Amino acid sequence: MDSQTSQPSQASQSPHTFQVDLRGLVDLLSHHLYSSPKVYLRELLQNAVDAITARRAEQPDAPAAVRLYAEGGTLRVEDSGIGLTESDVHSLLATIGRSSKREDGLQAARSDFLGQFGIGLLACFVVAERIRVVSRSARTPDAPPVEWTATDDGSYTVRTLPHEARTEPGTTVHLVARAGAGEWLTEERVRSLARDFGSLLPYDVRVGDEAIAELPAPWDRAHPSPATRRVALARHCHDLFGFTPLDTIDLNVPLAGVRGVAYVLPSAVSPAQRASHRVHLKGMLLTERAEQLLPDWAFFVRCVLDTDSLRPTASRESLYEDETLAAVREALGERIRSWLTGLAAGDPERLAAFLSVHHLGVKSLARHDNEMLRTMLPWLPFETTDGRLSLEEFALRHPVVHFTRTVEEYRQVAPIASAQGIGVINGGYTYDSELVEALPSVRPGTVVSELDADTVTAHLDAVDPAEELALSGFLMAARAKLDPLGCDVVLRAFHPLSVPALHLDDRAARHEQARAEAEDQADDLWAGILGSLRGSAPRARLVLNHLNPLIRRISSLRDPELIGTATESLYGQALLMAQRPLRPADSALLNRAFIGLLEWATHTEPGKDDLR
């Protein structure tokens, strides 16, 4: 191939300008960027507010008014803002991605504006087929009014108007509804959206003659007493979120540019449920579904606040995750933490009411925060063998704080441990075992120990050696029956007398049992591998209560087959008492033992050993 022809032509190196299909772009906005067509009104309000902000930066005494008029599938929005010249119109309204907040030296003051992405009036095409803008510049008073008219096919026209067409600086936007979107431009819908988006805007915003802004914000209003303020905020919460809060938490964080309130939910919610908060940016509603505003542990509150420091995403329907948001999240979390510690110090009744519903959230916080754990020790409830107690009270009663890691383990040992005077905490619930293990870090000298089968067995009274030797035949037969199930049999004396047998194991024993079952079901290769993993972990054990009358009668049996059936029955009954899930082998054993006892009861020969 000729070397010259292999080089790109000069024409192919010339730059080209991107062409934008406005219909496709509008479809993209309506179906992917924005969650609902209702955002068109927010864009109109935002443009009007930013225009007034720009004018007041140069003319502090300039009027600050926004008026909306809806009628017959049309909407007119008037503002007293900075206005536009003809060159502004060509530069700003007709260029996608360019924002007036980057122009004319306003970049430094950009934080005073709501919009920063230059999408501007495009969002209005989601509901309108035609947009007409009439504007007069306050910066260039001698410039004539200018009219910009655009349609959703991507075309627009610009013309200057006689001076009398608009005598005062500002802008008027006219929308004509597109087919099927007329409901969005009705007066009722416009009023509802304007009130939703603009209730905290600092300017005079009206739909017709009805004022929309409701300043000062609910959390900034003066009230005769704290009680009346709580009532007013509770009403505000009910109107916004549909529930009456347990309490309210002020979120005044000036350094983070945040003011607002958090409402405490009146009922428990899952920690995995993402909380949705209501965030205003410089008075304009940004989102009703801000999920990343608070730390994950604060899932028990819903917030509404106004901020001037957080950065919105391009759709302005969520918050941009950056260092500022992280700092605000930490500051708000600290405010909620301070509220909790304040309740603990000065209002125990309200704290108790809160913890009765949301103790899980506080436990989530306390496991990572020693100061919070120390503060909440007298208040956080735990299930124990002494009833529902705080860790502080339980530690005062027991020199060693025993706990189990699972609910099943606790149910196994709780009745027996309690009768033997061993205090045990159920650590099987979410976060509980972590908090118990953290106890020595905030309460020096506290001894914490995980309760296992050996500890429980060690606290049970041994049987007289002579008596146990006399029952060696019975014990040998019982052990032989349960050995295939990976369970030993021991004889002890303990209270309560009504418990004939106790099944004890721990995680190591269950792990070894699972390994053995897997080995039995595996092929030769895997059986060899699993066999090599066999550990020295203790096996489960069935502890027979020598003080129980039934055990005494069973231990006097002489028939090995009947001893085996009785032992299986005791084993199954002990499993059921512990509320442990039954394996297929355990279910089969229970059925076999039940049938065996029925056969023995109905076919006993005269003179044969029995249980009576």
Side-chain angles (χ1 to χ4, degrees):
M1 180 181 291
D2 184 83
S3 61
Q4 291 183 344
T5 59
S6 64
Q7 297 298 319
S9 67
Q10 186 66 31
S12 67
Q13 296 181 16
S14 301
H16 298 278
T17 301
F18 281 104
Q19 302 298 312
V20 177
D21 178 354
L22 189 58
R23 289 186 186 275
L25 184 58
V26 169
D27 181 71
L28 178 67
L29 292 176
S30 59
H31 291 97
H32 300 282
L33 184 62
Y34 295 127
S35 61
S36 166
K38 69 181 183 180
V39 297
Y40 87 92
L41 193 69
R42 185 195 61 204
E43 295 291 342
L44 290 173
L45 286 175
Q46 175 180 287
N47 287 342
V49 168
D50 283 346
I52 293 172
T53 301
R55 184 176 180 186
R56 285 203 153 187
E58 301 177 8
Q59 305 172 17
D61 296 331
V66 182
R67 299 289 182 266
L68 297 90
Y69 304 95
E71 183 179 359
T74 65
L75 175 64
R76 185 172 86 255
V77 181
E78 301 176 353
D79 69 66
S80 58
I82 194 69
L84 302 170
T85 63
E86 183 177 0
S87 62
D88 292 335
V89 167
H90 285 289
S91 176
L92 302 176
L93 297 187
T95 304
I96 297 171
R98 178 173 296 175
S99 170
S100 62
K101 269 62 78 176
R102 300 188 181 96
E103 303 296 325
D104 297 322
L106 290 176
Q107 179 74 11
R110 193 173 170 190
S111 62
D112 293 332
F113 298 93
L114 300 174
Q116 300 176 8
F117 296 96
I119 297 175
L121 290 173
L122 273 183
C124 295
F125 280 120
V126 174
V127 298
E129 67 178 11
R130 185 163 61 91
I131 303 173
R132 176 172 167 258
V133 178
V134 177
S135 185
R136 183 163 189 164
S137 174
R139 287 195 185 120
T140 314
D142 295 335
V146 61
E147 178 190 71
W148 177 83
T149 304
T151 59
D152 60 2
D153 63 2
S155 63
Y156 73 92
T157 61
V158 178
R159 68 187 180 112
T160 57
L161 302 177
H163 283 274
E164 58 270 16
R166 184 176 181 103
T167 58
E168 295 296 327
T171 300
T172 301
V173 179
H174 303 261
L175 301 187
V176 177
R178 65 191 309 166
E183 63 170 312
W184 293 103
L185 271 63
T186 62
E187 184 176 11
E188 182 180 359
R189 179 62 68 91
V190 168
R191 181 183 297 108
S192 174
L193 293 178
R195 185 179 294 115
D196 199 33
F197 285 120
S199 61
L200 300 184
L201 289 175
Y203 302 137
D204 180 16
V205 181
R206 296 175 182 267
V207 176
D209 295 327
E210 182 177 337
I212 297 302
E214 300 176 355
L215 295 180
W219 48 85
D220 287 331
R221 294 172 191 168
H223 295 277
S225 67
T228 56
R229 182 175 186 270
R230 278 199 297 269
V231 170
L233 288 176
R235 188 180 305 114
H236 176 246
C237 175
H238 191 274
D239 292 341
L240 281 185
F241 298 116
F243 66 85
T244 301
L246 273 179
D247 206 347
T248 59
I249 308 169
D250 284 317
L251 299 179
N252 183 15
V253 189
L255 292 179
V258 169
R259 286 192 63 82
V261 64
Y263 294 116
V264 181
L265 292 165
S267 56
V269 294
S270 167
Q273 179 179 329
R274 301 294 295 180
S276 295
H277 308 290
R278 190 177 173 94
V279 178
H280 296 255
L281 179 60
K282 305 176 187 70
M284 180 75 73
L285 178 66
L286 180 70
T287 179
E288 299 173 282
R289 300 186 300 276
E291 295 183 347
Q292 68 274 47
L293 186 65
L294 295 180
D296 290 340
W297 55 261
F299 56 82
F300 49 83
V301 300
R302 295 293 180 270
C303 294
V304 54
L305 55 82
D306 188 27
T307 175
D308 58 16
S309 62
L310 298 178
R311 178 182 171 191
T313 59
S315 67
R316 289 183 289 283
E317 294 188 301
S318 59
L319 298 171
Y320 187 82
E321 184 68 50
D322 58 11
E323 293 180 356
T324 302
L325 179 56
V328 167
R329 183 162 48 234
E330 182 177 350
L332 295 180
E334 182 59 38
R335 185 66 194 86
I336 296 173
R337 183 187 289 108
S338 298
W339 169 78
L340 282 171
T341 55
L343 287 187
D347 201 338
E349 290 185 3
R350 285 170 65 197
L351 179 64
F354 167 76
L355 289 178
S356 67
V357 178
H358 295 299
H359 58 275
L360 196 59
V362 179
K363 287 180 177 180
S364 174
L365 171 60
R367 66 194 178 115
H368 296 303
D369 189 325
N370 280 348
E371 188 59 38
M372 179 57 65
L373 178 58
R374 186 179 293 104
T375 301
M376 290 292 117
L377 272 179
W379 307 102
L380 288 174
F382 289 78
E383 182 180 354
T384 79
T385 49
D386 294 351
R388 289 188 70 80
L389 298 176
S390 69
L391 288 181
E392 176 75 16
E393 187 174 357
F394 187 87
L396 289 173
R397 295 186 182 188
H398 299 279
V400 178
V401 177
H402 291 288
F403 74 98
T404 64
R405 290 193 183 275
T406 68
V407 174
E408 290 78 12
E409 290 173 351
Y410 177 80
R411 289 170 177 167
Q412 282 185 88
V413 303
I416 308 304
S418 179
Q420 307 307 311
I422 307 173
V424 185
I425 296 175
N426 184 356
Y429 297 115
T430 306
Y431 310 134
D432 282 8
S433 62
E434 297 173 71
L435 292 174
V436 175
E437 289 181 299
L439 189 56
S441 67
V442 297
R443 197 176 188 275
T446 303
V447 179
V448 173
S449 175
E450 183 176 353
L451 189 67
D452 55 22
D454 287 337
T455 303
V456 176
T457 305
H459 280 78
L460 305 180
D461 293 335
V463 177
D464 181 83
E467 291 189 52
E468 188 167 0
L469 181 62
L471 297 176
S472 59
F474 161 73
L475 291 174
M476 185 177 300
R479 287 166 181 158
K481 195 66 175 178
L482 295 187
D483 184 69
L485 296 173
C487 184
D488 291 332
V489 177
V490 297
L491 188 66
R492 293 289 187 273
F494 57 87
H495 293 272
L497 299 180
S498 58
V499 177
L502 176 66
H503 180 270
L504 293 177
D505 64 0
D506 52 26
R507 284 175 298 157
R510 289 195 294 275
H511 176 75
E512 174 63 20
Q513 187 178 62
R515 186 209 57 77
E517 292 176 354
E519 181 181 355
D520 292 338
Q521 299 173 7
D523 56 28
D524 293 341
L525 173 62
W526 282 107
I529 294 174
L530 292 169
S532 69
L533 299 176
R534 182 181 295 111
S536 59
R539 303 205 306 171
R541 66 197 67 177
L542 182 68
V543 184
L544 303 179
N545 187 359
H546 188 56
L547 301 180
N548 180 269
L550 178 62
I551 295 298
R552 287 183 174 274
R553 290 198 297 270
I554 292 176
S555 63
S556 65
L557 295 173
R558 298 292 178 267
D559 184 345
E561 183 177 347
L562 186 55
I563 290 174
T565 299
T567 302
E568 287 183 330
S569 300
L570 291 170
Y571 174 83
Q573 189 261 354
L575 286 179
L576 294 175
M577 279 186 59
Q579 302 183 43
R580 290 286 305 278
L582 299 179
R583 301 169 297 163
D586 298 330
S587 299
L589 175 145
L590 280 171
N591 290 332
R592 184 171 63 248
F594 179 70
I595 296 300
L597 288 176
L598 285 179
E599 289 179 348
W600 172 85
T602 55
H603 295 89
T604 301
E605 298 177 4
K608 194 171 184 178
D609 288 332
D610 57 32
L611 301 180
R612 291 169 293 178

